[in-house]
Short mmCIF file of all heavy atoms in Angstrom, two decimals:
data_model
loop_
_atom_site.label_atom_id
_atom_site.label_comp_id
_atom_site.label_asym_id
_atom_site.label_seq_id
_atom_site.Cartn_x
_atom_site.Cartn_y
_atom_site.Cartn_z
N ALA A 49 -38.27 -39.53 -2.36
CA ALA A 49 -37.38 -39.06 -3.45
C ALA A 49 -36.99 -37.60 -3.23
O ALA A 49 -35.82 -37.22 -3.39
CB ALA A 49 -38.07 -39.24 -4.80
N LEU A 50 -37.97 -36.79 -2.87
CA LEU A 50 -37.71 -35.36 -2.62
C LEU A 50 -36.70 -35.19 -1.49
O LEU A 50 -35.74 -34.42 -1.60
CB LEU A 50 -39.03 -34.66 -2.29
CG LEU A 50 -38.94 -33.23 -1.78
CD1 LEU A 50 -38.32 -32.31 -2.84
CD2 LEU A 50 -40.34 -32.72 -1.38
N ASN A 51 -36.92 -35.90 -0.40
CA ASN A 51 -36.02 -35.76 0.74
C ASN A 51 -34.62 -36.31 0.42
O ASN A 51 -33.62 -35.76 0.87
CB ASN A 51 -36.61 -36.47 1.97
CG ASN A 51 -37.82 -35.72 2.50
OD1 ASN A 51 -37.80 -34.49 2.61
ND2 ASN A 51 -38.89 -36.44 2.81
N LYS A 52 -34.60 -37.36 -0.39
CA LYS A 52 -33.29 -37.92 -0.76
C LYS A 52 -32.51 -36.91 -1.61
O LYS A 52 -31.30 -36.75 -1.43
CB LYS A 52 -33.49 -39.24 -1.53
CG LYS A 52 -32.19 -39.96 -1.81
CD LYS A 52 -32.42 -41.35 -2.36
CE LYS A 52 -31.08 -42.03 -2.65
NZ LYS A 52 -31.26 -43.40 -3.13
N MET A 53 -33.22 -36.24 -2.50
CA MET A 53 -32.53 -35.20 -3.28
C MET A 53 -32.00 -34.11 -2.36
O MET A 53 -30.84 -33.69 -2.48
CB MET A 53 -33.48 -34.59 -4.31
CG MET A 53 -32.80 -33.53 -5.17
SD MET A 53 -33.89 -32.78 -6.40
CE MET A 53 -34.71 -31.54 -5.40
N CYS A 54 -32.85 -33.68 -1.42
CA CYS A 54 -32.41 -32.61 -0.51
C CYS A 54 -31.23 -33.06 0.35
O CYS A 54 -30.30 -32.29 0.61
CB CYS A 54 -33.56 -32.15 0.36
SG CYS A 54 -34.87 -31.32 -0.56
N TYR A 55 -31.25 -34.30 0.77
CA TYR A 55 -30.14 -34.86 1.56
C TYR A 55 -28.84 -34.79 0.76
O TYR A 55 -27.76 -34.54 1.31
CB TYR A 55 -30.49 -36.29 1.95
CG TYR A 55 -29.43 -37.05 2.72
CD1 TYR A 55 -29.07 -36.66 4.00
CD2 TYR A 55 -28.82 -38.17 2.17
CE1 TYR A 55 -28.11 -37.37 4.71
CE2 TYR A 55 -27.86 -38.89 2.88
CZ TYR A 55 -27.51 -38.48 4.15
OH TYR A 55 -26.57 -39.19 4.86
N SER A 56 -28.94 -34.96 -0.56
CA SER A 56 -27.73 -34.93 -1.39
C SER A 56 -27.07 -33.55 -1.37
O SER A 56 -25.88 -33.42 -1.69
CB SER A 56 -28.06 -35.33 -2.84
OG SER A 56 -28.65 -34.25 -3.55
N PHE A 57 -27.85 -32.52 -0.97
CA PHE A 57 -27.28 -31.17 -0.97
C PHE A 57 -26.32 -30.91 0.18
O PHE A 57 -25.78 -29.82 0.30
CB PHE A 57 -28.41 -30.12 -0.98
CG PHE A 57 -29.28 -30.17 -2.21
CD1 PHE A 57 -30.64 -29.92 -2.13
CD2 PHE A 57 -28.73 -30.46 -3.45
CE1 PHE A 57 -31.44 -29.98 -3.26
CE2 PHE A 57 -29.52 -30.52 -4.59
CZ PHE A 57 -30.88 -30.28 -4.49
N ASN A 58 -26.07 -31.91 1.01
CA ASN A 58 -24.95 -31.80 1.95
C ASN A 58 -23.63 -31.62 1.21
O ASN A 58 -22.67 -31.09 1.76
CB ASN A 58 -24.86 -33.07 2.82
CG ASN A 58 -25.86 -33.07 3.97
OD1 ASN A 58 -26.26 -32.04 4.47
ND2 ASN A 58 -26.27 -34.26 4.37
N ASP A 59 -23.60 -32.10 -0.02
CA ASP A 59 -22.37 -32.09 -0.82
C ASP A 59 -22.39 -30.88 -1.77
O ASP A 59 -23.32 -30.72 -2.58
CB ASP A 59 -22.33 -33.41 -1.61
CG ASP A 59 -21.03 -33.58 -2.37
OD1 ASP A 59 -20.46 -32.56 -2.83
OD2 ASP A 59 -20.60 -34.73 -2.51
N ALA A 60 -21.36 -30.06 -1.67
CA ALA A 60 -21.32 -28.83 -2.48
C ALA A 60 -21.39 -29.12 -3.97
O ALA A 60 -22.01 -28.37 -4.73
CB ALA A 60 -20.05 -28.04 -2.15
N ALA A 61 -20.77 -30.20 -4.40
CA ALA A 61 -20.79 -30.53 -5.83
C ALA A 61 -22.22 -30.80 -6.29
O ALA A 61 -22.62 -30.43 -7.41
CB ALA A 61 -19.90 -31.74 -6.10
N ASN A 62 -23.00 -31.42 -5.41
CA ASN A 62 -24.40 -31.68 -5.77
C ASN A 62 -25.23 -30.40 -5.81
O ASN A 62 -26.14 -30.27 -6.63
CB ASN A 62 -25.02 -32.68 -4.79
CG ASN A 62 -24.43 -34.07 -4.95
OD1 ASN A 62 -23.93 -34.42 -6.02
ND2 ASN A 62 -24.46 -34.84 -3.88
N ARG A 63 -24.91 -29.48 -4.92
CA ARG A 63 -25.62 -28.19 -4.97
C ARG A 63 -25.33 -27.49 -6.30
O ARG A 63 -26.23 -26.90 -6.91
CB ARG A 63 -25.20 -27.31 -3.78
CG ARG A 63 -25.49 -27.94 -2.43
CD ARG A 63 -25.45 -26.94 -1.29
NE ARG A 63 -24.12 -26.45 -0.92
CZ ARG A 63 -23.33 -27.04 -0.02
NH1 ARG A 63 -23.68 -28.18 0.56
NH2 ARG A 63 -22.16 -26.49 0.29
N GLU A 64 -24.09 -27.56 -6.73
CA GLU A 64 -23.73 -26.95 -8.01
C GLU A 64 -24.42 -27.65 -9.17
O GLU A 64 -24.89 -27.00 -10.11
CB GLU A 64 -22.21 -26.97 -8.20
CG GLU A 64 -21.47 -26.05 -7.24
CD GLU A 64 -21.99 -24.61 -7.26
OE1 GLU A 64 -22.19 -24.06 -8.36
OE2 GLU A 64 -22.23 -24.06 -6.17
N ALA A 65 -24.47 -28.97 -9.10
CA ALA A 65 -25.12 -29.72 -10.19
C ALA A 65 -26.61 -29.37 -10.27
O ALA A 65 -27.17 -29.24 -11.36
CB ALA A 65 -24.95 -31.23 -9.96
N PHE A 66 -27.23 -29.19 -9.11
CA PHE A 66 -28.65 -28.79 -9.10
C PHE A 66 -28.81 -27.42 -9.75
O PHE A 66 -29.69 -27.22 -10.59
CB PHE A 66 -29.17 -28.78 -7.66
CG PHE A 66 -30.58 -28.25 -7.55
CD1 PHE A 66 -31.68 -29.09 -7.76
CD2 PHE A 66 -30.82 -26.91 -7.23
CE1 PHE A 66 -32.98 -28.59 -7.66
CE2 PHE A 66 -32.11 -26.41 -7.13
CZ PHE A 66 -33.19 -27.25 -7.34
N LYS A 67 -27.96 -26.50 -9.35
CA LYS A 67 -28.07 -25.13 -9.89
C LYS A 67 -27.85 -25.12 -11.40
O LYS A 67 -28.46 -24.34 -12.12
CB LYS A 67 -27.06 -24.19 -9.20
CG LYS A 67 -27.51 -23.77 -7.82
CD LYS A 67 -26.68 -22.60 -7.30
CE LYS A 67 -25.46 -23.08 -6.56
NZ LYS A 67 -24.72 -22.02 -5.85
N ALA A 68 -26.96 -26.00 -11.87
CA ALA A 68 -26.64 -26.01 -13.30
C ALA A 68 -27.81 -26.52 -14.13
O ALA A 68 -28.03 -26.05 -15.26
CB ALA A 68 -25.41 -26.89 -13.53
N ASP A 69 -28.58 -27.47 -13.59
CA ASP A 69 -29.70 -28.02 -14.37
C ASP A 69 -30.72 -28.63 -13.39
O ASP A 69 -30.66 -29.82 -13.10
CB ASP A 69 -29.20 -29.06 -15.38
CG ASP A 69 -30.30 -29.47 -16.36
OD1 ASP A 69 -31.49 -29.25 -16.05
OD2 ASP A 69 -29.95 -30.03 -17.41
N GLU A 70 -31.62 -27.80 -12.92
CA GLU A 70 -32.56 -28.24 -11.89
C GLU A 70 -33.41 -29.41 -12.34
O GLU A 70 -33.60 -30.39 -11.60
CB GLU A 70 -33.50 -27.09 -11.48
CG GLU A 70 -32.81 -25.97 -10.74
CD GLU A 70 -33.81 -25.00 -10.12
OE1 GLU A 70 -34.99 -25.36 -9.98
OE2 GLU A 70 -33.39 -23.88 -9.77
N ASP A 71 -33.95 -29.31 -13.57
CA ASP A 71 -34.86 -30.36 -14.03
C ASP A 71 -34.15 -31.70 -14.13
O ASP A 71 -34.70 -32.73 -13.73
CB ASP A 71 -35.49 -29.98 -15.37
CG ASP A 71 -36.69 -29.08 -15.18
OD1 ASP A 71 -37.18 -28.98 -14.03
OD2 ASP A 71 -37.14 -28.47 -16.17
N ALA A 72 -32.96 -31.66 -14.69
CA ALA A 72 -32.22 -32.91 -14.83
C ALA A 72 -31.90 -33.50 -13.46
O ALA A 72 -31.97 -34.72 -13.26
CB ALA A 72 -30.92 -32.67 -15.61
N TYR A 73 -31.59 -32.62 -12.51
CA TYR A 73 -31.26 -33.11 -11.17
C TYR A 73 -32.49 -33.73 -10.50
O TYR A 73 -32.40 -34.81 -9.89
CB TYR A 73 -30.68 -31.97 -10.32
CG TYR A 73 -29.86 -32.48 -9.16
CD1 TYR A 73 -28.51 -32.77 -9.31
CD2 TYR A 73 -30.44 -32.70 -7.91
CE1 TYR A 73 -27.75 -33.27 -8.25
CE2 TYR A 73 -29.70 -33.19 -6.85
CZ TYR A 73 -28.36 -33.47 -7.02
OH TYR A 73 -27.64 -33.97 -5.98
N CYS A 74 -33.64 -33.06 -10.64
CA CYS A 74 -34.89 -33.62 -10.09
C CYS A 74 -35.22 -34.96 -10.75
O CYS A 74 -35.67 -35.89 -10.08
CB CYS A 74 -36.05 -32.65 -10.30
SG CYS A 74 -35.97 -31.17 -9.28
N ALA A 75 -34.98 -35.04 -12.04
CA ALA A 75 -35.28 -36.29 -12.76
C ALA A 75 -34.39 -37.41 -12.26
O ALA A 75 -34.83 -38.55 -12.10
CB ALA A 75 -35.09 -36.07 -14.26
N ARG A 76 -33.13 -37.08 -12.00
CA ARG A 76 -32.19 -38.10 -11.55
C ARG A 76 -32.66 -38.73 -10.24
O ARG A 76 -32.45 -39.92 -10.00
CB ARG A 76 -30.80 -37.47 -11.37
CG ARG A 76 -29.70 -38.51 -11.31
CD ARG A 76 -28.45 -38.04 -10.60
NE ARG A 76 -27.85 -36.85 -11.20
CZ ARG A 76 -26.80 -36.23 -10.65
NH1 ARG A 76 -26.25 -36.71 -9.55
NH2 ARG A 76 -26.31 -35.15 -11.20
N TYR A 77 -33.31 -37.93 -9.40
CA TYR A 77 -33.79 -38.46 -8.11
C TYR A 77 -35.22 -38.97 -8.19
O TYR A 77 -35.78 -39.40 -7.18
CB TYR A 77 -33.63 -37.39 -7.02
CG TYR A 77 -32.21 -37.37 -6.51
CD1 TYR A 77 -31.22 -36.63 -7.16
CD2 TYR A 77 -31.84 -38.14 -5.42
CE1 TYR A 77 -29.91 -36.64 -6.72
CE2 TYR A 77 -30.53 -38.16 -4.97
CZ TYR A 77 -29.57 -37.41 -5.62
OH TYR A 77 -28.27 -37.44 -5.19
N GLY A 78 -35.83 -38.90 -9.39
CA GLY A 78 -37.15 -39.49 -9.56
C GLY A 78 -38.27 -38.74 -8.87
O GLY A 78 -39.25 -39.34 -8.42
N LEU A 79 -38.16 -37.41 -8.80
CA LEU A 79 -39.25 -36.64 -8.20
C LEU A 79 -40.49 -36.72 -9.09
O LEU A 79 -40.39 -36.70 -10.32
CB LEU A 79 -38.84 -35.16 -8.05
CG LEU A 79 -38.15 -34.80 -6.72
CD1 LEU A 79 -36.88 -35.58 -6.50
CD2 LEU A 79 -37.89 -33.30 -6.65
N ASN A 80 -41.65 -36.76 -8.45
CA ASN A 80 -42.90 -36.76 -9.23
C ASN A 80 -43.27 -35.33 -9.62
O ASN A 80 -42.61 -34.36 -9.20
CB ASN A 80 -44.01 -37.49 -8.49
CG ASN A 80 -44.40 -36.78 -7.19
OD1 ASN A 80 -44.25 -35.56 -7.07
ND2 ASN A 80 -44.89 -37.55 -6.23
N GLU A 81 -44.33 -35.22 -10.41
CA GLU A 81 -44.68 -33.88 -10.95
C GLU A 81 -45.03 -32.89 -9.83
O GLU A 81 -44.63 -31.73 -9.87
CB GLU A 81 -45.82 -34.01 -11.96
CG GLU A 81 -46.11 -32.73 -12.73
CD GLU A 81 -44.84 -32.00 -13.22
OE1 GLU A 81 -43.92 -32.64 -13.80
OE2 GLU A 81 -44.74 -30.78 -12.97
N GLU A 82 -45.75 -33.37 -8.82
CA GLU A 82 -46.10 -32.49 -7.70
C GLU A 82 -44.83 -31.96 -7.01
O GLU A 82 -44.73 -30.77 -6.69
CB GLU A 82 -46.94 -33.29 -6.68
CG GLU A 82 -47.32 -32.49 -5.44
CD GLU A 82 -47.93 -33.35 -4.32
OE1 GLU A 82 -47.91 -34.60 -4.44
OE2 GLU A 82 -48.39 -32.77 -3.32
N GLN A 83 -43.88 -32.84 -6.83
CA GLN A 83 -42.64 -32.43 -6.16
C GLN A 83 -41.82 -31.49 -7.04
O GLN A 83 -41.26 -30.50 -6.57
CB GLN A 83 -41.83 -33.68 -5.80
CG GLN A 83 -42.51 -34.51 -4.70
CD GLN A 83 -41.95 -35.91 -4.57
OE1 GLN A 83 -41.34 -36.45 -5.49
NE2 GLN A 83 -42.20 -36.54 -3.42
N ARG A 84 -41.79 -31.78 -8.34
CA ARG A 84 -41.01 -30.93 -9.24
C ARG A 84 -41.61 -29.54 -9.34
O ARG A 84 -40.89 -28.53 -9.39
CB ARG A 84 -40.90 -31.59 -10.62
CG ARG A 84 -40.03 -32.84 -10.54
CD ARG A 84 -40.01 -33.63 -11.80
NE ARG A 84 -39.23 -32.97 -12.85
CZ ARG A 84 -38.66 -33.63 -13.85
NH1 ARG A 84 -38.78 -34.93 -13.95
NH2 ARG A 84 -37.97 -32.99 -14.76
N ARG A 85 -42.93 -29.47 -9.33
CA ARG A 85 -43.58 -28.15 -9.39
C ARG A 85 -43.27 -27.37 -8.10
O ARG A 85 -42.93 -26.19 -8.14
CB ARG A 85 -45.09 -28.31 -9.57
CG ARG A 85 -45.80 -26.97 -9.80
CD ARG A 85 -47.22 -27.17 -10.28
NE ARG A 85 -48.00 -27.99 -9.36
CZ ARG A 85 -48.49 -29.20 -9.66
NH1 ARG A 85 -48.32 -29.72 -10.85
NH2 ARG A 85 -49.18 -29.87 -8.76
N ALA A 86 -43.36 -28.04 -6.98
CA ALA A 86 -43.07 -27.37 -5.70
C ALA A 86 -41.62 -26.89 -5.64
O ALA A 86 -41.33 -25.80 -5.13
CB ALA A 86 -43.37 -28.32 -4.54
N VAL A 87 -40.72 -27.68 -6.21
CA VAL A 87 -39.31 -27.28 -6.27
C VAL A 87 -39.16 -26.05 -7.16
O VAL A 87 -38.51 -25.06 -6.79
CB VAL A 87 -38.42 -28.44 -6.76
CG1 VAL A 87 -37.02 -27.95 -7.14
CG2 VAL A 87 -38.33 -29.54 -5.70
N ARG A 88 -39.76 -26.11 -8.34
CA ARG A 88 -39.66 -24.97 -9.28
C ARG A 88 -40.18 -23.69 -8.66
O ARG A 88 -39.63 -22.62 -8.84
CB ARG A 88 -40.47 -25.27 -10.55
CG ARG A 88 -39.71 -25.99 -11.64
CD ARG A 88 -40.43 -25.89 -12.98
NE ARG A 88 -41.81 -26.36 -12.95
CZ ARG A 88 -42.18 -27.64 -13.11
NH1 ARG A 88 -41.27 -28.58 -13.31
NH2 ARG A 88 -43.44 -27.98 -13.07
N GLU A 89 -41.29 -23.83 -7.91
CA GLU A 89 -41.93 -22.63 -7.35
C GLU A 89 -41.34 -22.23 -6.00
O GLU A 89 -41.75 -21.21 -5.44
CB GLU A 89 -43.44 -22.90 -7.20
CG GLU A 89 -44.13 -23.08 -8.54
CD GLU A 89 -45.59 -23.51 -8.41
OE1 GLU A 89 -46.05 -23.77 -7.27
OE2 GLU A 89 -46.25 -23.61 -9.47
N ARG A 90 -40.39 -23.02 -5.47
CA ARG A 90 -39.80 -22.74 -4.14
C ARG A 90 -40.91 -22.56 -3.12
O ARG A 90 -40.85 -21.67 -2.26
CB ARG A 90 -38.92 -21.49 -4.15
CG ARG A 90 -38.10 -21.25 -5.41
CD ARG A 90 -36.93 -22.20 -5.48
NE ARG A 90 -35.96 -21.80 -6.48
CZ ARG A 90 -35.59 -22.56 -7.52
NH1 ARG A 90 -36.13 -23.76 -7.74
NH2 ARG A 90 -34.66 -22.14 -8.34
N ASN A 91 -41.93 -23.40 -3.22
CA ASN A 91 -43.13 -23.24 -2.38
C ASN A 91 -43.05 -24.23 -1.21
O ASN A 91 -43.23 -25.43 -1.37
CB ASN A 91 -44.37 -23.51 -3.25
CG ASN A 91 -45.65 -23.31 -2.45
OD1 ASN A 91 -45.71 -23.54 -1.25
ND2 ASN A 91 -46.68 -22.86 -3.14
N VAL A 92 -42.78 -23.69 -0.04
CA VAL A 92 -42.48 -24.54 1.12
C VAL A 92 -43.68 -25.38 1.53
O VAL A 92 -43.55 -26.58 1.79
CB VAL A 92 -41.97 -23.69 2.30
CG1 VAL A 92 -41.62 -24.59 3.48
CG2 VAL A 92 -40.76 -22.87 1.89
#
Side-chain angles (χ1 to χ4, degrees):
Chain A
L50 171 62
N51 290 316
K52 187 171 179 178
M53 181 180 83
C54 293
Y55 177 66
S56 79
F57 297 143
N58 280 331
D59 186 327
N62 291 335
R63 300 196 289 271
E64 292 307 314
F66 174 84
K67 283 193 271 189
D69 190 341
E70 291 192 17
D71 276 346
Y73 201 87
C74 289
R76 197 203 301 175
Y77 279 85
L79 271 59
N80 65 28
E81 189 43 48
E82 178 191 8
Q83 292 165 339
R84 291 173 73 155
R85 187 167 56 245
V87 166
R88 271 196 305 274
E89 294 173 355
R90 323 286 193 239
N91 182 328
V92 182

